[in-house]
Amino acid sequence: MRETAGAIIGVDVGTSVTKAVAFDRDGHTLHIASRPSALLRAPGGIVEQDLEDVLGSVASVVREVAAALPGPPAALALTGQGDGLWLRDAEGRAVRRMISWMDGRAAGLVTGWQRDGTVREIFRHTGSGMFPGCHAPLLAWLAAHEPDTLRRAAVAGYCVDAIAQRLTGTVSVDASDATLPFLDPVTRAYSPAALAACGVSDWAHLLPEPAAPHTVLALDAQGAALLGLPEGLPVTSGPYDLPACAIGSGVRHAGDGLLTVGTTLACQVLTDRADGPRDGEPAGMWLCTPRSGHWLRALPAMVGTAGIDWVLGLVGASTGDLETLLERSPAGARGVTALPFLSEAGERAPFVSPGARASFEGMSLGHDRADVVRAMCEAVGYAARHCLEAAGLSRTLIACGGGTRSAGWMKTFAGILGRPVRVPLEPEVGARGAAVVARAALGDPVDEEQWYARYRLVEPDERERDGYERGYADYRERVAAARTRWDGQPAAV
């Protein structure tokens, strides 16, 4: 029987699923609960969420997990989806539906900012790129189309701090969430020049000041009643899911990287420098971490398992067929190639192109559905390598997310990346990372060697190395050529 006293409940508020996980002092999972939340789609690339629905999902999973413990947890540790625009009033109530990071309504704005140099100017100031579902274009879009909405708002925040405000009565945004695109990661202060470049200086008062690392909040009476937990229970809010997953999976040394194979790919590399050259491709961001002097160079792409699900459905297969299909088609997909950009919002890393779209090439009547599926799986692998190279991967690579459950696809990733890949045996690394941060904030840091000791290692097949090297070079050339069509201007390979 494991000791459950002093357990921490980590809560990961995902885009479509909220999970709560109770961890004991040694990092073992005690109980897990999950509940879906709705994505509300409309024409024009609109993707929104209802704050009350998301908050209800949090209450449901926390109550379920807490009920399985012998007593109250030591703390509640929050993480979740980032970006988007979660507008609230002073009491934390929604002034409109929450706008998801997947939203594409502001794609035209981003395209215009790319052409007139605004995106590159922002990158010079803060090291952050831009994509339609981040704060800058969404604030600018609302200023043009819904100015009264902004006037009613008191906070222009994110998912995690929106939930924290309703549970604690405090507005406290983590610096990782506040990064894109206005925050200088070195000073942890918003850049007036970046705000002005996007034309949203008049709304800067809506942006919460980033909290100090290891800030601890407390459940207020309303939050306690909602969750069925004691008033005053410690609560930590953030970092959001990208850095939380890096922390929870064991990214600890500069040069270590994390590949999150989820609905989209999230590629991150830990670095001890955030003041490097800002004259390259304006994409991604440097994320502040709770650890002083360390940042994550993050390049979260829009491709991922959603594309694999789509192509499986296209050929009349399901996720249960993926392993068999990958076995039937050899590395290289017998000459079929793909570009994996299926998101309505285009691509955001390692380049930004709202017009990016998917394609297949090289198909004939001699190919079958296995070749088409493998081509898409390899294309997502090439996109991951493109991101990780741009982020500066030089040491251990760790992978997490639902896509890691496919042994065949993970073998493909390892082959394309040309290196072993560690996959933690604990799947809920986001909630786990939030719990690690909470322990440190409470002055009771975890034993990292114990928490990160359990993983499986996926090795590349050396016989496939040369073929994948050629495939990657071809992928980069095809992306560069396609960008002249998508963006209307030449792009570097």
Side-chain angles (χ1 to χ4, degrees):
M1 179 79 64
R2 290 197 175 108
E3 177 59 52
T4 58
I8 285 183
I9 297 180
V11 182
D12 188 350
V13 190
T15 304
S16 56
V17 177
T18 298
K19 296 180 181 179
V21 188
F23 298 98
D24 70 11
R25 183 66 187 74
D26 296 327
H28 297 113
T29 298
L30 301 173
H31 302 282
I32 301 177
S34 65
R35 178 185 153 180
S37 50
L39 284 173
L40 308 171
R41 297 180 181 271
I46 290 173
V47 186
E48 299 178 336
Q49 292 193 274
D50 180 87
L51 177 57
E52 300 306 313
D53 175 57
V54 177
L55 185 64
S57 73
V58 172
S60 175
V61 295
V62 170
R63 281 181 170 272
E64 181 178 337
V65 169
L69 300 175
L76 191 68
L78 302 177
T79 187
Q81 58 182 295
D83 297 309
L85 187 61
W86 294 57
L87 288 169
R88 298 101 66 188
D89 63 19
E91 283 69 48
R93 303 287 173 178
V95 299
R96 70 173 321 283
R97 283 179 175 172
M98 308 295 98
I99 303 178
S100 169
W101 62 272
M102 299 176 70
D103 194 274
R105 77 188 72 192
L109 265 175
V110 175
T111 299
W113 287 349
Q114 285 180 303
R115 290 173 177 166
D116 68 16
T118 299
V119 170
R120 191 164 292 280
E121 182 180 352
I122 301 298
F123 190 68
R124 285 197 299 268
H125 289 302
T126 67
S128 283
M130 195 89 70
F131 76 104
C134 73
H135 258 46
L138 292 175
L139 281 171
W141 191 94
L142 288 177
H145 298 278
E146 296 182 23
D148 287 343
T149 297
L150 293 178
R151 294 188 189 104
R152 293 196 306 271
V155 182
Y158 308 83
C159 173
V160 178
D161 61 277
I163 299 302
Q165 184 180 3
R166 292 291 293 275
L167 296 180
T168 69
T170 302
V171 178
S172 178
V173 65
D174 190 81
S176 63
D177 246 329
T179 297
L180 187 68
F182 301 125
L183 195 75
D184 184 321
V186 178
T187 64
R188 293 188 179 228
Y190 295 115
S191 166
L195 289 158
C198 297
V200 296
S201 297
D202 290 347
W203 307 107
H205 64 282
L206 299 179
L207 303 176
E209 288 300 316
H214 297 132
T215 293
V216 179
L217 311 175
L219 279 184
D220 64 10
Q222 292 184 356
L226 181 68
L227 302 183
L229 294 173
E231 186 175 353
L233 184 80
V235 177
T236 56
S237 176
Y240 84 100
D241 58 5
L242 291 191
C245 285
I247 294 167
S249 64
V251 172
R252 293 183 285 168
H253 307 289
D256 286 352
L258 177 66
L259 169 63
T260 303
V261 190
T263 302
T264 58
L265 293 182
C267 301
Q268 305 175 77
V269 175
L270 190 65
T271 176
D272 54 9
R273 294 288 303 275
D275 56 355
R278 295 179 180 175
D279 55 0
E281 186 82 45
M285 57 278 201
W286 274 275
L287 295 175
C288 297
T289 74
R291 185 178 170 190
S292 178
H294 284 77
W295 296 265
L296 285 159
R297 179 69 174 120
L299 290 166
M302 298 296 283
V303 303
T305 60
I308 305 307
D309 292 341
W310 179 87
V311 77
L312 287 169
L314 186 71
V315 301
S318 68
T319 54
D321 300 316
L322 181 57
E323 296 304 304
T324 299
L325 291 170
L326 287 173
E327 289 172 2
R328 279 174 42 191
S329 180
R334 297 196 298 146
V336 179
T337 62
L339 294 181
F341 309 110
L342 286 159
S343 170
E344 292 172 299
E347 186 52 278
R348 61 176 177 171
F351 58 87
V352 177
S353 177
R357 292 296 180 264
S359 64
F360 288 90
E361 294 183 15
M363 292 189 293
S364 72
L365 292 174
H367 293 102
D368 63 16
R369 63 180 189 164
D371 300 318
V372 175
V373 170
R374 174 170 277 282
M376 181 60 77
C377 286
E378 291 183 349
V380 174
Y382 292 135
R385 178 169 169 178
H386 194 181
C387 287
L388 288 165
E389 285 185 352
L393 177 68
S394 61
R395 290 175 57 101
T396 301
L397 178 63
I398 304 167
C400 66
T404 62
R405 289 193 291 268
S406 168
W409 197 16
M410 287 311 301
K411 196 76 172 178
T412 300
F413 273 113
I416 288 171
L417 294 163
R419 62 174 65 234
V421 181
R422 291 187 184 184
V423 181
L425 297 184
E426 165 55 59
E428 304 304 334
V429 295
R432 191 178 185 84
V436 170
V437 171
R439 288 281 185 200
L442 295 173
D444 182 27
V446 304
D447 181 340
E448 292 186 349
E449 297 303 322
Q450 188 171 38
W451 274 61
Y452 303 138
R454 299 176 66 243
Y455 60 85
R456 60 185 172 91
L457 194 65
V458 182
E459 298 275 6
D461 187 336
E462 290 299 319
R463 295 170 297 181
E464 298 172 346
R465 177 183 292 274
D466 290 345
Y468 280 137
E469 288 298 316
R470 291 191 296 272
Y472 179 58
D474 176 68
Y475 168 85
R476 292 289 299 271
E477 289 175 359
R478 286 185 290 114
V479 167
R483 288 186 64 186
T484 64
R485 303 192 303 273
W486 300 332
D487 307 336
Q489 57 188 358
V493 175

